[in-house]
Amino acid sequence: MHWQLDPHAAEARVPPLLLQPLVENAVRHGVEPNDGGGDVDIVTRARGSEIEIRVVNTVGLPSRGKGHGLALRNVRQRLRLMHDVAARLEAGPGEGRFVVRIVMPR
């Protein structure tokens, strides 16, 4: 686990336990399947009127179990309830890593 937290992002209104399902997925689907483990990076940063949160994990061997997308769907719904269309969530693979990026109002 690697944390890079911008102190200016601490003021963001974030739904409770927003990171928990994302980090759990990163470990279960990205780190656990690999004998050598892997990395999970959690990064926050303030950018103008927005806050960005990224959860990035290494990807190697395929996950032992196929996910159903419930965690991502749940996080999207919770963001929508708190911030409506002002928040967005992007998730997908990129160069040996899986990236979840959340952008929300500051």
Side-chain angles (χ1 to χ4, degrees), residues 8-71:
H8 298 103
E11 63 199 48
R13 285 186 41 225
V14 178
L17 299 172
L18 184 75
L19 290 179
Q20 185 270 334
L22 301 177
V23 172
E24 187 176 286
N25 271 3
V27 170
R28 181 164 189 225
H29 298 292
V31 175
E32 278 183 1
N34 298 292
D35 292 336
D39 295 313
V40 177
D41 299 324
I42 300 169
V43 180
T44 64
R45 104 178 131 167
R47 300 175 65 198
S49 63
E50 296 180 321
I51 301 294
E52 177 185 36
I53 300 170
R54 282 184 290 134
V55 178
V56 182
N57 62 273
T58 51
V59 176
L61 297 172
S63 177
R64 292 182 182 105
K66 177 128 171 76
H68 300 287
L70 294 175

Side-chain angles (χ1 to χ4, degrees), residues 55-104:
V55 178
V56 182
N57 62 273
T58 51
V59 176
L61 297 172
S63 177
R64 292 182 182 105
K66 177 128 171 76
H68 300 287
L70 294 175
L72 290 174
R73 205 167 24 250
N74 177 283
V75 169
R76 274 194 181 96
Q77 288 173 349
R78 292 170 62 213
L79 284 169
R80 193 173 303 127
L81 285 171
M82 183 172 272
H83 295 292
D84 199 25
V85 296
R88 42 191 201 282
L89 182 147
E90 303 159 358
E95 296 186 34
R97 301 180 79 69
F98 190 86
V99 180
V100 176
R101 180 174 176 261
I102 297 169
V103 179
M104 66 183 72

